[in-house]
Amino acid sequence: MTTQSQRPSDADSGGAASNFIRNIISEDLAAGRHKRVVTRFPPEPNGYLHIGHAKSILLNFGLATEFGGACHMRFDDTNPAAEDLEYVESIQRDVRWLGGDWGDNLFFASDYFERLYAFAVELIKKGKAYVCSLSEAETREMRGTVTEPGRESPYRSRSVEENLDLFARMRAGEFPEGAHVLRAKIDMAAPNMKMRDPPIYRIKRARHYRTGDAWCIYPLYDFAHSLSDAIEGITHSICTLEFENNRELYDWIIDNLDVPSRPRQYEFARLNLNYTVMSKRKLLGLVKGGYVSGWDDPRMPTIAGLRRRGVTPESIRAFCEEIGVAKTNSMVDIAKFESCVRDDLNLRAPRVMAVLRPLRVVLENFPEGQVEEIDAPYWPEDVPKQGSRKVPLSRVVYIERDDFLEDPPKKWFRLAPGQQVRLRYAGFITCREVVRDQATGEVVELRCTYDHPTKAGEAPGGKKPKGTLHWVSAAHAIPAEVRLYDRLFAVERPDAVEEGKDFLENLNPGSLVTLTGCRVEPSLSTIEKGSHVQFERQGFFFVDPVDSAPGAPVFNRTVALKDSWSKLAAERPAPAPESAAARPQPAKPKGERAPIEERIARLEPARAERARHLIDARGIPGDDAVVLAEDDGLLRLFEEAVAVHDNPRSAANWVIHSISRELKDRKTGDLPFSGAQLGELLALIDDGTISGKIAKDVLAEMLQQGGSPKAIVERRGLRQVADEGALERIVDKVVAAHSAEVSRYRAGNTKLIGFFVGQVMKASGGKANPDLVNALLTRKLSQPA
């Protein structure tokens, strides 16, 4: 059996680039326990894979590749009532799409049915298994509880001969389902209830998708899984934490049979995402109940659904690498996954214009029949790619209906009567007249004037409107269908339902909005299925590979440009604690995260009081306060930092958003530095000694090997350059080296300031004071040529 010393401990977690399983494998190879690493991915073909499986796929195949070994693809097909060839094919397709390559190592548990049966007979002959004839209810009643031992079955004393005879007759089909099971004879008083004579074979009269009616008895998971590992020579059987209690049974089966190899099981934390469900049973319910269009519905967390939505395997890989491999289950915010998707698509999706809810705009002073070809880049300044297309501008264009208000509020920078905005890449329009439908009163058209930009990129008169709108030419636009996908569930934890309720009641009614009257720019007339684009100001979209047709594209929104859900939660004011109970609360809008006070109310009383103190007395944002109140280790680190440098908001931000994400499977007590040293680091930032960027480099070294941040800064010469004379020389060199960008900046493209700041920071090795750099650049670039 696996001893305590063989099990992974918190000290095995390694750094950010490692994990405890990788460390175990390295140690096993170094000690000569194995010459070659063999892992496996063993899904049951009873449904489609979801993103939780992706973490296991990438871990198992990744470790095998890293150590020059092999990863087997094995289907755990021992439950014929729920399994299907469709699922086998979909699983293979998904694993290949994620980059998994099993070569010739494709196996099925059903391949081993004869050998598994022989192993069961071996256990009977050794007196370690018996045929039990109790009913399921009787077996459950005699199993005991976590505090009381179970009672032995009256059939436990059957002779070896009787057990062999009954087991053979079970295989021959003499008995109905439920008449008998084969149980391992272990210990009915075992503290681990998995060891209380667990069933290892049962009668199941169902046709198997591979073996047909050849068998009517089937092995249970623990028996088939451990022995399949041993048959295949698996060295490291890696599974999720819910199988931790099964490990003792796994070892018992291996240790009590004459098996060809000795695998060992290791557990890691499964991937849990909020705003979704991961249960195959519930996902199947969504499909069969018609709540989604199928397993590949883009709202589903299945690999097939994510692929059809436009998520890439690279973004899934980046997400799994970011959350790491831990030994403690936790809930991951889906916003982190969406952020990884945005980061990936930002570098692969060209920018184009699309109007989803068109409003007709007539440019009255633009000559009829005239068309201007405007050169528009596919990529923004911060993406290192080139390419552009011609966008036609004509007398009639479409803008978004939401970009016009007849009676706008203050600071409305879009279009309104008498107000001027810029058309993206083109000139300026001013709304002069609003045309309504006589029957409904709805605004159907705007009459505007058009002004070409001056050489400086300004509107006539030197004006610089703050609003810029995307648009398409009405005469050239391509009709398209756009599907706006959002989170399938409206609450963070759809599984956490009250008694008597169903998780389906938490479905988000706005998870899919289909728009059929959309118009996209003509460059998309020949776009191929499976292409990625960013609709400017809208989000990242993917040409649906199933429903799109030539000349009639269907675009699925992969992800919005910003995390609007978090923004909604942050903007919603929390009610005052003392009045929350007395005042009726408004209904929470669908899709909005729970208000802070509601989240605090879910905490234990002492933690809730701690969260309120952090908000009221320390000025900590509500979300950060809840995280600190829930985690004693993070809170202690925060308090130690604030005691040295009194900047609570900064300390909370660094503890939660920079340190906790690096902990992965470590605890705060395992960190090689103290909260006081974190406070020392924050003081260096606030007094201008180092920049925030340099501080992250210092923290990375502290996470790896500890040490005083002051000493690290001095040893590595990281002090921020704040000498104006020294920086001015660097600024002059950068400006002189980029004359084309200087001309574009002076012509009105002031967003290039970010480019210049980046060049100066790069030239200074990241040590320049960014505020001083910004001021120097603004002054230099504003000077006449």
Side-chain angles (χ1 to χ4, degrees):
M1 297 178 69
T2 303
T3 65
Q4 186 65 37
S5 62
Q6 292 168 321
R7 297 179 183 182
S9 65
D10 286 342
D12 294 323
S13 62
S18 187
N19 63 66
F20 71 93
I21 296 177
R22 181 181 286 113
N23 294 344
I24 289 169
I25 294 176
S26 296
E27 291 168 7
D28 285 347
L29 292 174
R33 298 187 190 100
H34 304 289
K35 293 182 178 179
R36 185 168 183 258
V37 173
V38 184
T39 61
R40 84 290 170 272
F41 176 62
E44 181 183 359
N46 63 347
Y48 279 52
L49 299 182
H50 53 64
I51 191 170
H53 295 109
K55 182 177 178 181
S56 180
I57 292 167
L58 294 172
L59 179 62
N60 279 286
F61 280 93
L63 288 171
T65 300
E66 179 181 345
F67 288 98
C71 181
H72 294 187
M73 166 70 86
R74 182 177 72 239
F75 288 93
D76 175 31
D77 54 350
T78 59
N79 182 15
E83 296 159 359
D84 195 279
L85 184 60
E86 174 194 352
Y87 300 139
V88 172
E89 293 172 345
S90 75
I91 289 169
Q92 292 187 66
R93 185 165 56 246
D94 292 345
V95 174
R96 283 197 185 96
W97 181 74
L98 282 171
D101 181 7
W102 55 87
D104 297 329
N105 299 307
L106 176 63
F107 303 103
F108 296 80
S110 54
D111 292 337
Y112 309 134
F113 279 172
E114 197 66 56
R115 294 185 71 176
L116 296 175
Y117 179 82
F119 278 127
V121 169
E122 182 184 339
L123 278 182
I124 293 173
K125 289 180 177 179
K126 289 180 175 180
K128 295 180 181 292
Y130 63 97
V131 174
C132 181
S133 305
L134 291 174
S135 68
E136 187 176 342
E138 290 170 331
T139 302
R140 188 165 49 247
E141 192 273 330
M142 296 180 68
R143 193 172 178 226
T145 67
V146 292
T147 58
E148 297 178 359
R151 290 176 287 138
E152 293 184 353
S153 166
Y155 306 102
R156 200 174 194 265
S157 58
R158 277 174 167 159
S159 67
V160 169
E161 291 73 19
E162 186 179 3
N163 284 318
L164 289 172
D165 175 65
L166 284 170
F167 191 48
R169 291 163 64 191
M170 286 170 61
R171 174 177 179 171
E174 288 189 25
F175 307 113
E177 284 191 20
H180 307 289
V181 295
L182 182 68
R183 297 175 69 177
K185 187 185 290 187
I186 306 179
D187 182 4
M188 288 302 294
N192 182 354
M193 295 183 70
K194 291 282 185 184
M195 302 297 287
R196 295 182 184 179
D197 289 10
I200 56 176
Y201 259 92
R202 83 288 203 197
I203 300 169
K204 194 79 173 176
R205 294 191 173 275
R207 184 176 181 81
H208 193 280
Y209 75 100
R210 293 187 77 235
T211 61
D213 296 321
W215 292 86
C216 61
I217 59 170
Y218 292 93
L220 277 86
Y221 169 82
D222 289 297
F223 189 73
H225 178 70
S226 55
L227 292 172
S228 297
D229 281 351
I231 291 168
E232 294 176 19
I234 302 301
T235 57
H236 298 80
S237 183
I238 304 166
C239 56
T240 46
L241 276 177
E242 62 263 38
F243 295 101
E244 186 173 19
N245 286 338
N246 300 58
R247 188 202 308 162
E248 190 175 356
L249 179 55
Y250 181 102
D251 290 335
W252 185 91
I253 292 170
I254 296 296
D255 292 341
N256 283 279
L257 287 166
D258 183 15
V259 292
S261 71
R262 187 22 170 127
R264 294 196 181 278
Q265 175 178 307
Y266 302 94
E267 308 88 23
F268 69 98
R270 65 181 296 170
L271 171 56
N272 296 304
L273 275 179
N274 59 8
Y275 291 102
T276 191
V277 295
M278 296 290 194
S279 159
K280 277 189 183 178
R281 178 181 59 81
K282 291 180 178 177
L283 294 176
L284 179 61
L286 290 169
V287 173
K288 289 194 170 182
Y291 299 98
V292 293
S293 61
W295 285 100
D296 68 342
D297 187 301
R299 293 167 292 179
M300 291 278 275
T302 56
I303 303 298
L306 294 172
R307 181 167 60 242
R308 186 169 178 184
R309 186 161 175 163
V311 173
T312 65
E314 291 82 4
S315 59
I316 294 176
R317 182 182 298 276
F319 171 62
C320 290
E321 288 176 353
E322 181 171 331
I323 62 177
V325 179
K327 290 175 289 181
T328 305
N329 282 325
S330 62
M331 183 67 68
V332 179
D333 192 340
I334 197 170
K336 183 175 289 189
F337 172 63
E338 293 167 345
S339 177
C340 290
V341 175
R342 286 190 198 95
D343 289 346
D344 177 74
L345 295 180
N346 181 55
L347 299 177
R348 71 172 71 236
R351 277 53 168 178
V352 294
M353 292 191 290
V355 176
L356 308 190
R357 300 173 178 87
L359 176 60
R360 178 182 168 91
V361 175
V362 178
L363 308 180
E364 293 188 306
N365 61 335
F366 199 99
E368 290 208 39
Q370 180 175 313
V371 177
E372 281 189 24
E373 293 286 345
I374 299 172
D375 192 57
Y378 276 124
W379 306 100
E381 298 285 347
D382 61 347
V383 175
K385 289 187 177 182
Q386 295 181 339
S388 63
R389 79 282 188 197
K390 296 294 184 181
V391 178
L393 173 67
S394 61
R395 178 180 171 84
V396 181
V397 299
Y398 290 124
I399 66 169
E400 287 290 346
R401 185 167 293 274
D402 291 345
D403 281 340
F404 172 78
L405 278 182
E406 195 165 9
D407 185 20
K410 290 182 67 175
K411 295 187 178 180
W412 172 260
F413 298 128
R414 292 180 247 176
L415 198 58
Q419 195 155 308
Q420 188 180 61
V421 296
R422 181 168 193 157
L423 295 182
R424 180 75 162 145
Y425 307 118
F428 305 85
I429 63 172
T430 305
C431 181
R432 302 299 185 188
E433 182 183 351
V434 178
V435 180
R436 299 178 178 278
D437 182 280
Q438 292 184 352
T440 65
E442 179 185 5
V443 175
V444 294
E445 184 178 284
L446 303 177
R447 295 276 173 167
C448 299
T449 54
Y450 180 77
D451 291 302
H452 286 86
T454 65
K455 289 184 179 180
E458 299 174 347
K463 295 181 180 178
K464 284 189 177 181
K466 294 185 178 180
T468 299
L469 309 184
H470 62 276
W471 55 278
V472 293
S473 167
H476 305 86
I478 306 299
E481 178 179 317
V482 174
R483 298 169 181 172
L484 302 179
Y485 289 104
D486 212 328
R487 299 172 185 177
L488 186 56
F489 292 91
V491 298
E492 288 188 71
R493 302 203 176 188
D495 279 332
V497 294
E498 298 176 16
E499 188 175 350
K501 292 190 176 182
D502 192 277
F503 80 104
L504 294 170
E505 296 181 40
N506 291 325
L507 284 168
N508 175 16
S511 62
L512 170 59
V513 176
T514 302
L515 304 174
T516 56
C518 309
R519 296 291 186 271
V520 300
E521 66 174 63
S523 69
L524 299 177
S525 60
T526 58
I527 193 167
E528 297 181 355
K529 294 180 179 181
S531 299
H532 295 91
V533 292
Q534 184 198 107
F535 290 164
E536 297 203 45
R537 301 177 64 221
Q538 307 276 13
F540 292 100
F541 289 79
F542 183 67
V543 184
D544 189 274
V546 178
D547 295 336
S548 294
V554 175
F555 293 92
N556 299 332
R557 184 171 67 186
T558 307
V559 66
L561 292 180
K562 296 180 180 179
D563 181 10
S564 55
W565 287 55
S566 296
K567 183 179 178 183
L568 278 171
E571 290 177 349
R572 182 184 175 92
E578 65 272 10
S579 60
R583 185 172 63 250
Q585 298 299 305
K588 182 170 64 178
K590 291 290 185 182
E592 184 176 332
R593 290 181 62 185
I596 292 301
E597 186 61 30
E598 183 179 326
R599 295 179 65 195
I600 292 174
R602 298 176 189 160
L603 301 175
E604 299 172 4
R607 295 187 184 276
E609 189 60 34
R610 185 183 301 164
R612 293 191 180 96
H613 172 77
L614 289 168
I615 294 170
D616 298 338
R618 299 295 190 89
I620 306 298
D623 286 339
D624 288 356
V626 170
V627 173
L628 290 175
E630 288 179 319
D631 192 306
D632 293 335
L634 294 181
L635 182 62
R636 185 182 66 254
L637 201 66
F638 164 81
E639 295 288 3
E640 291 174 354
V642 172
V644 170
H645 181 67
D646 191 18
N647 188 338
R649 290 179 70 95
S650 177
N653 182 61
W654 279 80
V655 166
I656 294 169
H657 302 292
S658 295
I659 294 178
S660 67
R661 66 186 295 179
E662 297 295 338
L663 285 172
K664 299 190 182 297
D665 40 6
R666 286 188 289 181
K667 298 178 180 178
T668 52
D670 299 329
L671 290 172
F673 62 87
S674 65
Q677 288 173 315
L678 173 62
E680 183 182 313
L681 178 66
L682 302 183
L684 292 173
I685 301 170
D686 287 350
D687 67 15
T689 301
I690 58 175
S691 66
K693 183 178 184 301
I694 292 175
K696 290 183 178 179
D697 293 337
V698 175
L699 179 63
E701 182 168 330
M702 292 168 64
L703 284 163
Q704 189 171 17
Q705 51 192 328
S708 161
K710 285 183 180 178
I712 294 171
V713 168
E714 295 302 327
R715 174 169 48 81
R716 294 176 55 186
L718 297 177
R719 280 185 173 272
Q720 189 167 253
V721 179
D723 178 79
E724 184 169 341
L727 285 182
E728 190 165 15
R729 289 191 291 273
I730 298 175
V731 167
D732 287 341
K733 288 181 181 179
V734 167
V735 170
H738 297 89
S739 56
E741 285 78 8
V742 171
S743 298
R744 288 163 60 194
Y745 178 91
R746 289 172 176 164
N749 191 356
T750 55
K751 291 183 180 178
L752 281 170
I753 191 69
F755 165 80
F756 286 107
V757 170
Q759 293 299 311
V760 174
M761 296 301 291
K762 182 178 179 181
S764 68
K767 298 177 186 177
N769 182 303
D771 293 334
L772 182 54
V773 169
N774 209 307
L776 286 170
L777 281 168
T778 302
R779 189 174 72 210
K780 294 278 184 181
L781 294 171
S782 299
Q783 295 172 357

